[in-house]
Amino acid sequence: MLAGVILVTGATGAIGGNVLRLLAGGEHPVRALSRTPSSVPTLSGVEAVQGDFTDPDSLRRALDGVSAVLLVTVPNPPTVAHDVALLDAAVSAGVRRVVKLSAIGTGEWWNGQLVGSWHQETEDAVRGSGLDWTVLRPSTFASNTLGWARSIAVDGVVPDPVGGARQGVIDPRDVAGVAVAELVGDHSLGRTLTLTGPELISAADQAEVLGRLLGRTLRVEDLPLPAMRGRMEEDGWDSTAMELAVAGTGWARSGGNAVLTRTVEEVLGRPAATFEKWAVDHLSRFGG
Ligand SMILES: NC(=O)c1ccc[n+]([C@@H]2O[C@H](COP(=O)([O-])OP(=O)(O)OC[C@H]3O[C@@H](n4cnc5c(N)ncnc54)[C@H](OP(=O)(O)O)[C@@H]3O)[C@@H](O)[C@H]2O)c1
């Protein structure tokens, strides 16, 4: 088992936050990087530090004495230079191990576009860094459905950008569990792991679960790609990030993400959690 401080980037996010919770109170001191450390939850053995991928000095400070890093690539806008800056600082600081959060579909093609092109570039940088590495490519997160909470509350509608396609929806806590195993465990490193939940499910399947648990009938509405792009523009998305997200969604919409693996079970020694399990645990976020 690796000893030393673990640095968690994206510590206020879906995966980084769950990695903190899993490591808290354990034998590894943990440092949680955020641009606003006051937003990092207070947890035993977790020190929140101020840091920004655009500020090399902050990365140097955060990496002092660190043995392993969880690298969460910022999604909006995705910036390859962020990850390269972190990797350079990690090598200089004598870090031994990096676990990079990537995404399923990276390196696939859709409509003439490379899916996850920025993940592809940073995966390659991780592999060439000289550090021990693991790349995690999770499927779509169960927690993405939190984005439906408002329209479910207002009119019971679930917008479906993937047009009925089925995906191996994964509980972010399982992604975090695998990340922790790779950060501190004795695995054969140098692996690219595709992580999925235990079942292929559509937005309609997820709406059925949420509706049943909430005691309501929810209506699924297809959200074609041009309409999705329009909503993202209204929400002020960076244009590059938007086109990359549209390409990934188009790939999923075409059935590309109908993929299941058993990697979570192989690493954690128990089956991956179902969407229903995640929904039960988070029902209050939907007004349940
Ligand atoms: N959502 C999915 O279904 C899915 C599936 C597969 C893979 N992924 C991948 O998972 C990754 C995380 O995506 P997410 O949507 O779940 O986001 P997230 O991790 O929930 O949030 C983004 C994180 O980035 C940090 N951040 C933003 N700008 C930063 C900067 N300049 N310097 C340092 N930290 C910065 C934020 O921290 P502060 O604001 O605290 O600084 C925040 O913790 C992405 O690479 C995405 O491609 C997502």
Side-chain angles (χ1 to χ4, degrees):
M1 179 175 288
L2 195 69
V5 179
I6 311 290
L7 178 69
V8 176
T9 69
T12 56
I15 305 304
N18 280 304
V19 166
L20 291 185
R21 281 182 271 281
L22 290 172
L23 287 170
E27 51 198 286
H28 294 272
V30 180
R31 215 169 276 161
L33 185 103
S34 170
R35 290 165 300 171
T36 50
S38 57
S39 50
V40 174
T42 304
L43 294 165
S44 164
V46 176
E47 175 200 9
V49 295
Q50 201 285 331
D52 190 314
F53 287 123
T54 62
D55 174 3
D57 284 341
S58 73
L59 299 180
R60 267 193 290 279
R61 284 193 298 276
L63 284 159
D64 186 39
V66 164
S67 57
V69 177
L70 174 70
L71 172 53
V72 173
T73 303
V74 174
N76 185 17
T79 311
V80 173
H82 282 172
D83 291 24
V84 171
L86 190 281
L87 289 168
D88 286 349
V91 169
S92 301
V95 169
R96 290 173 49 199
R97 186 178 292 188
V98 60
V99 176
K100 173 183 154 55
L101 180 63
S102 182
I104 201 166
T106 296
E108 302 282 338
W109 289 87
W110 175 79
N111 206 23
Q113 283 174 273
L114 184 63
V115 175
S117 54
W118 82 104
H119 276 312
Q120 182 76 66
E121 277 191 63
T122 56
E123 282 188 7
D124 290 344
V126 163
R127 294 186 187 104
S129 65
L131 303 172
D132 287 343
W133 59 267
T134 308
V135 168
L136 305 181
R137 289 181 171 177
S139 189
T140 187
F141 301 163
S143 50
N144 292 352
T145 58
L146 292 172
W148 300 343
R150 202 177 130 71
S151 71
I152 286 177
V154 171
D155 51 15
V157 166
V158 164
D160 178 12
V162 297
R166 297 193 306 152
Q167 308 185 83
V169 174
I170 188 164
D171 188 324
R173 295 171 297 188
D174 284 346
V175 181
V178 174
V180 167
E182 297 294 316
L183 282 166
V184 304
D186 289 320
H187 295 283
S188 51
L189 299 163
R191 302 195 296 172
T192 299
L193 303 177
T194 297
L195 307 176
T196 75
E199 55 198 348
L200 287 178
I201 53 174
S202 64
D205 296 327
Q206 291 176 293
E208 186 280 322
V209 169
L210 287 170
R212 177 161 42 79
L213 295 172
L214 291 166
R216 296 179 57 193
T217 302
L218 304 181
R219 196 173 73 256
V220 178
E221 281 184 2
D222 187 31
L223 184 67
L225 294 181
M228 174 183 156
R229 189 183 275 113
R231 287 195 184 187
M232 294 173 96
E233 275 166 358
E234 276 170 28
D235 290 346
W237 270 63
D238 169 89
S239 60
T240 306
M242 185 173 69
E243 291 313 321
L244 291 167
V246 167
T249 306
W251 171 74
R253 206 177 161 88
S254 70
N257 197 20
V259 174
L260 289 182
T261 70
R262 296 178 64 86
T263 312
V264 168
E265 183 165 2
E266 284 159 13
V267 175
L268 300 183
R270 50 121 180 115
T274 60
F275 175 72
E276 180 150 354
K277 165 72 176 140
W278 179 88
V280 165
D281 292 345
H282 296 83
L283 207 57
S284 62
R285 305 280 297 275
F286 296 89

